[in-house]
Amino acid sequence: MKKIILSAILACLFVFNTQAQDETTTKDDTTTNDEAALDGSYNKWQARFRVIAVAPEPYFYDNVNGFDPDFSTSFAPEIDITYFLSKNISLELMLTTSKHDVEVEGGIDLGSVSILPPTLSMQYHFYADDFKPYIGAGINYTIFYGEDSGDIDSISYKNEIGYAVQAGLDLSLIHI
């Protein structure tokens, strides 16, 4: 749980965002992006590049007493595409890959493995001028590849479905 909370906090700190939203104008040229969002004329698509913390949390070891593997936390570049269903609710597809060292308490090195965890999340966005905090939750399918052996010659990883939680803050830097 500590890794999830740490990841959420770090993700909030390292979010870089450029929203492609057209400035909507009316006859008096005073409509802002937030007012455009209220009347439904906002851009429904958003693309971002950011740096995120990837903190895998294995759960398969619950059935084996004394076996407690630890995956290192990794920071990785990430690209995501967001589609807004409404002003506040969106769907986000996150794409990244990262490499992690794996070990077991007691000093056994299990080597390293790379993961590809495409993640689909539903988010709720709040609006406060150019600051737009959000929270989200979703699912991912973690694909393991590039295993490097450690102290144990034969280890395999099973691709699995998992969950994701997120919190962040979008800051509009450029209005296109």
Side-chain angles (χ1 to χ4, degrees):
M1 187 59 153
K2 260 192 321 191
K3 286 184 180 180
I4 293 171
I5 294 170
L6 174 65
S7 297
I9 291 169
L10 290 173
C12 289
L13 295 175
F14 293 107
V15 172
F16 299 99
N17 176 36
T18 299
Q19 282 187 300
Q21 292 199 353
D22 294 328
E23 183 103 9
T24 304
T25 57
T26 60
K27 59 184 172 183
D28 63 1
D29 285 338
T30 60
T31 304
T32 66
N33 285 332
D34 288 339
E35 290 168 345
L38 289 174
D39 71 10
S41 63
Y42 60 94
N43 191 333
K44 293 187 177 202
W45 291 97
Q46 173 178 285
R48 293 186 284 200
F49 172 79
R50 58 188 172 182
V51 176
I52 63 169
V54 181
E57 188 65 39
Y59 60 90
F60 62 87
Y61 61 87
D62 290 341
N63 296 328
V64 181
N65 292 333
F67 187 69
D68 190 12
D70 183 36
F71 283 73
S72 64
T73 297
S74 177
F75 294 93
E78 180 260 349
I79 295 174
D80 66 67
I81 300 167
T82 304
Y83 179 76
F84 283 83
L85 301 170
S86 70
K87 174 190 167 215
N88 298 95
I89 298 173
S90 67
L91 294 174
E92 176 187 71
L93 177 62
M94 296 172 42
L95 303 169
T96 190
T97 186
S98 59
K99 188 171 184 174
H100 301 271
D101 295 322
V102 186
E103 58 185 34
V104 178
E105 285 184 15
I108 299 174
D109 178 18
L110 299 180
S112 63
V113 65
S114 294
I115 64 171
L116 174 66
T119 305
L120 181 62
S121 298
M122 182 168 274
Q123 299 174 328
Y124 186 85
H125 296 258
F126 305 90
Y127 288 84
D129 296 324
D130 283 337
F131 295 97
K132 295 175 179 62
Y134 63 89
I135 56 173
I139 60 171
N140 71 24
Y141 184 70
T142 302
I143 301 165
F144 292 91
Y145 68 96
E147 296 94 351
D148 293 326
S149 63
D151 294 339
I152 298 176
D153 290 334
S154 137
I155 189 165
S156 63
Y157 298 91
K158 183 179 172 189
N159 299 343
E160 285 289 333
I161 293 175
Y163 64 91
V165 294
Q166 63 181 187
L169 172 69
D170 289 336
L171 171 61
S172 295
L173 299 175
I174 302 171
H175 295 280
I176 298 175

